[in-house]
Structure formats: C-alpha cells, structure tokens
C-alpha cells in the first residue's frame, strides 16, 4: 500500500505543480492586463488634467492680448485731436496719421484708423503704405454699423485689402451733442500667437459662438465650422464678405495635416472672455500612455520577482529585498513628485505672465496721460510745466519694471530684499495710480490721520504698493459708483496692519473659503490671480494678507513687519 501510495504521489505532485504553474501564469496574465488598464487610465486622467490646465493658460494669454488692445479705441474715441478731425478740422490729419502710426508700433496693432459718419477713413496708422486705409470706405463692415448703433463692436474678418485675418475692435466717436460723428477701429492680427501655438502644441483653435474657427495654430483650419450648417442658416453673401468664403467647410480633423495624430488626440475646451469664444486644445497623450504602460509592466515584473524571491529565500533575504524594492519605489515616487512640482511651477508662471497686463495697466495709463499732457503744454509754450511730467513718467516706468521683476522673482521663488519703507509713501503711490479712477467713480475715500502715516515698516515699496493697489481696485469694483472705501492703520505687536474696508455687498461663505485659490474670481473678466499673488508677496516679506469677516462689506488687511 505504501509502495502504491509513493508511486501515485509522484505523478500527483507533478500534476499539482502543473496546475499551480498554469494558475500562476493565468494570474500573472490577468494581473498584467489589469495593471496596463489601471496605469493607462491614470495616465490618461493625468494627461487630460494637464491639457485642461494648459488650455486655461493659453486662454488666459489670449484674453491678456485682447485686453491690451481693447483700451486703445476707448482712449482714442475721447481724444481731442480725433474730435477735432471729426468736426472737420482737416489740419489734424497729418498729425493724427503720425500719432496712430506710433501707437500701432508701440502696441503691436496691425492698423489703427478713424472713419467719419459715412464710413470713409480719414486717418490711419498705415497712411504711408501701399495698402493704406486712408480714403477707403468701410461703412459696409458689420463692426462699423454695430459700433455706430451700440457704441462698441468687434468682428473677426478677412482684410479687404491685405487679405489677412484679424479681429476688428471698434468704438463710436460721439460729437459735442452726443451724436455719432465717426468710428475708431483697431485691427489685431494673431500671427505671433498662432506661431507659438504651432511650435508647442499638437493643435489649437478658437471658435466663435457659431462654431466658426477664427484663430488657429493651423491656417488650413481657419474659417471652417465645427458643426454642420443647415440650409439657409447662414448668409452666404455676408460670409463671403467677412471670411472670403461663401460656403464654410465642415472642420474635419482628419485632414492630411492631422490624420496621423487624430487617433491619439484628446480635446480640452476653455472659454475666452469677453468675446464668448472657446479655445480648443488638441493634445497627444501617447507619450504619457507609453510611459505609464512601461512603468506598470516594470512594476508588475518587479512584484513577480519579489514574490518569487520571497517564496524561495529565507526571511532575512526576503526582508532585504523588500527594503530594496521599497527604496526603489520611494526614489521613483520622489522623482515623480519633483516633476509634478516643477510642472506646477511652470503652470503658475504661465498664469502669472498672462496677468501682467492687469498688474501694470494703471501705470501705463498714467504714463500716457502725463505724456499727452506734456505734449499739449509744450505746444502752448509751458515748457517748465511740461518738463515736470518727465520725472513722474520715469518713476512710473521704473515702477512697471519693478512689478515685472517682482512677477519673475515670484516664479523663481527667489530671495527678497526688504528695506525700511514709510507707510505714507506706499499709500501716496497707490493713490497716484488710482487717482483718475477714484474721481470717475466718485469714491468717498477715507484716509488715516496724518499722525498714523508716519510709521516705517519693513518691506519693498513697490511690492507693498502693488498689493494695496490690488485691494483698492477690488474695493472699487465691489462698491461701484459713489461707494465708500476706508484705509486704516493699526498696531498688532511687532506688526503694522494696513486695512482696506468697503461698503460693498460683502462675500458669501463659499467665496470666502476660495478667496486665495488660483483662477477663482467673482469678476466676469478677472483671472483670479490678484489675491494669490498679493498674499504670496506679503508672506515673502514676513507678513500676511488676510480677510476679516464683517457683518457688511469686505475688509482685507495687510499684516506688515515693523523694522
């Protein structure tokens, strides 16, 4: 019986070993498949999140570009020289041509031009070019008609002379009796922006509310529509006049330019304010997916090897190998964390750079006003008064440079060099930048007592002034016209507390919880970066920026270190 048992036990053991081997292989195959799917799903989610963040950064950059140009027609529509030319003083035409040419060069606009009430161009920045707009009539353009009717209008169209696409931003010019006497328009072309998109992305395009592609990294996609057009839905004659095509083709990403990429592309959308556009970003996640698959298989293989070693070796050897595997995983995790942190810093840099126009808009406006005032004083012979504007222009220019340097240092997380700063200088500098806005909004601004302005704090003059300007702007936005805003100074131990309080509607509990989160804003045209940057500046100076709850209104306090 024992002999028979032994004889039967050998094939039995082989059979059992075969079953175990088959089971192990089957489990390994299923585990490898599950690992591939899990890693692929995680990598795809990560790629989609990264693409959404990149789309937000690209949209913010485009919004910043639009904001930069939107103020030009507004300022020119109120300019005395423009009003004089529209009133029939043709002697201003030569001066205006030169001035528009200079402004177009400084701002990077394709062309800036003035049209009378009949649509005839009287002055243009390209007055001395073969394709000059002077003498051309653009009364047929939709942006001209809409601007005369509603005061302001935009239209993306193909140039009738240059045949180059661009965005036309127009504003009505009103005469002394508030009746329309003309229209000032600026054409913005996006060639540099589109070229940068083409170099850094798989594909980007921006659509209008009707789904027509306007701005794109691939010129072949322009003026296609992403949705089928029903018969009679569009005006063929108007489309031909605006886009140069009577029939807009349906956008097909499987064109020769994109067919090789389409199977791997993911699309991310982000709105572009204030034109109700949408930015579409096409991203290729194949590299991330391939890396995730390789990492997953390597990890799975390491786990199988570790399991085999643990099963065949003594406890001490198994513990040793477990420690090595853990060290390897920790090292890989550390590298991934470092890469994610670097990606986050780069994303923050793009977000802050997109908001530079918002941070320096007021100094630029002040420089423009001082320069134009000095020019008029010089024409009247008041040279001493005109010369008095130059130091202020120089100071404001230096302040702009310091602000941009501050944003660059923020991206590098570099060391700051604080010094002793009188609070009076900080407040006076902020009020200088906001003087016109305070007057326009008829703000009831309550300042600290004279004795309270004497203390000296430890910080950077421009950085503190930047934060105070941001808080005051937010307060003015909250209160609106005839609002009440106060600036208070108090002492708290080794710190001075500079507070800005308004009588606006205040903040909800949800808004208060998200105050210092990037891209969270209550403004329709805001980027949601002002408070984030301001708080980081204050903390970098050894202080803080806090919001103090109130029964009504809003109160922000700058906590500043004393010398």
């Amino acid at each position: 019986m024992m002999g028979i048992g032994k004889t039967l036990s050998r094939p039995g053991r082989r059979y059992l070993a075969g079953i175990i081997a088959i089971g192990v292989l089957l489990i390994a195959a299923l585990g490898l498949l599950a690992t591939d799917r899990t890693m692929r799903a995680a990598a795809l989610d990560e790629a989609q999140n990264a693409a959404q963040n990149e789309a937000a950064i690209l949209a913010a950059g485009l919004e910043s570009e639009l904001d930069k140009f939107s103020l030009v027609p507004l300022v020119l529509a109120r300019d005395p020289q423009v009003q004089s030319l529209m009133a029939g003083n043709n002697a201003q035409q030569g001066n205006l041509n030169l001035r528009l040419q200079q402004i177009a060069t400084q701002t990077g606009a394709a062309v800036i031009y003035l049209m009378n009430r009949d649509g005839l161009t009287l002055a243009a920045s390209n007055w001395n070019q073969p394709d000059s707009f002077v003498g051309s009539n653009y009364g047929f353009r939709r942006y001209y008609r809409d601007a005369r009717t509603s005061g302001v209008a935009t239209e993306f169209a193909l140039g009738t002379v240059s045949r180059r696409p661009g965005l036309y931003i127009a504003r009505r010019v009103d005469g002394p009796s508030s009746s329309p006497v003309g229209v000032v328009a600026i054409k913005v072309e996006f060639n540099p922006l589109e070229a940068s998109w083409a170099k850094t992305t798989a594909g980007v395009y921006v659509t209008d509310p009707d789904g027509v592609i306007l701005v794109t990294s691939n010129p072949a996609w322009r003026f296609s529509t992403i949705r089928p057009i029903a018969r009679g839905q569009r005006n063929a004659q108007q489309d031909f006049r605006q886009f140069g095509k009577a029939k807009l083709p349906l956008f097909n990403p499987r064109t020769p330019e994109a067919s090789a990429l389409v199977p791997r592309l993911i699309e991310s959308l982000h709105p572009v304010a204030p034109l109700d556009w949408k930015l579409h970003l096409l991203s290729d996640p194949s590299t991330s997916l391939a890396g995730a698959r390789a990492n997953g298989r390597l990890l799975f293989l390491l786990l199988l090897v570790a399991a085999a070693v643990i099963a065949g070796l003594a406890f001490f050897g198994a513990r040793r190998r477990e420690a090595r595997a853990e060290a390897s995983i920790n090292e890989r995790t550390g590298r991934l964390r470092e890469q994610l942190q670097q990606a986050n810093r780069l994303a923050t840099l793009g977000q802050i750079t997109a908001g530079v126009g918002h941070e320096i808009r007021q100094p630029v406006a002040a420089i423009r006003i001082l320069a134009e005032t000095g020019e008029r004083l010089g024409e009247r012979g008041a040279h001493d008064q005109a010369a008095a504007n130059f130091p202020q222009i120089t100071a404001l220019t230096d302040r702009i440079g310091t602000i941009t340097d501050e944003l660059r240092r923020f991206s590098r997380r570099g060391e700051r060099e604080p010094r002793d700063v009188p609070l009076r200088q900080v407040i006076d500098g902020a009020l200088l930048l906001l003087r016109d806005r305070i007057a326009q909004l008829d703000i009831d601004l309550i300042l600290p007592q004279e004795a309270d302005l004497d203390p000296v704090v430890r910080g950077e003059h421009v950085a503190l002034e930047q934060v105070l300007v941001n808080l005051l702007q937010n307060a003015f936005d909250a209160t609106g016209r005839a609002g009440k805003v106060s600036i208070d100074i108090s002492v708290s131990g080794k710190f001075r507390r500079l507070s800005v309080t308004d009588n606006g509607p205040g903040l909800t509990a949800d808004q208060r919880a998200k105050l210092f989160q990037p891209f969270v804003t209550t403004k329709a045209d805001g980027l949601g970066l002002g408070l984030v940057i301001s708080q980081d500046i204050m903390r970098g100076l050894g202080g803080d920026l806090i919001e103090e709850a109130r029964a009504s209104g809003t109160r922000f306090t700058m906590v500043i270190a004393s010398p």
Side-chain angles (χ1 to χ4, degrees), residues 444-455:
D444 181 10
L445 184 61
I446 302 174
L447 299 177
Q449 299 293 329
E450 282 293 320
D452 294 335
L453 295 173
D454 294 332

Side-chain angles (χ1 to χ4, degrees), residues 1-13:
M1 293 293 294
M2 291 184 64
I4 295 175
K6 291 180 179 179
T7 303
L8 293 177
S9 65
R10 291 193 184 100
R13 285 197 296 269

Side-chain angles (χ1 to χ4, degrees), residues 90-132:
N90 294 329
Q92 296 286 353
Q93 184 179 24
N95 293 334
L96 267 178
N97 281 332
L98 294 174
R99 188 175 171 202
L100 294 180
Q101 183 182 10
Q102 182 181 16
I103 295 175
T105 301
Q106 293 174 344
T107 61
V111 62
I112 306 173
Y113 51 106
L114 308 175
M115 297 162 283
N116 64 10
R117 59 167 51 92
D118 298 320
L120 181 66
T121 303
L122 303 181
S125 60
N126 62 353
W127 61 277
N128 57 348
Q129 300 297 320
D131 57 352
S132 171

Side-chain angles (χ1 to χ4, degrees), residues 187-199:
K187 182 183 179 183
V188 183
E189 295 179 358
F190 300 93
N191 299 12
L193 186 65
E194 292 177 327
S196 68
W197 287 354
K199 292 178 181 178

Side-chain angles (χ1 to χ4, degrees), residues 417-435:
E417 298 179 0
R419 60 181 179 84
D420 293 348
V421 180
L423 278 179
R424 182 188 301 275
Q425 291 184 6
V426 176
I427 296 176
D428 289 346
L431 296 182
L432 172 64
L433 297 179
L434 299 174
R435 182 181 302 164

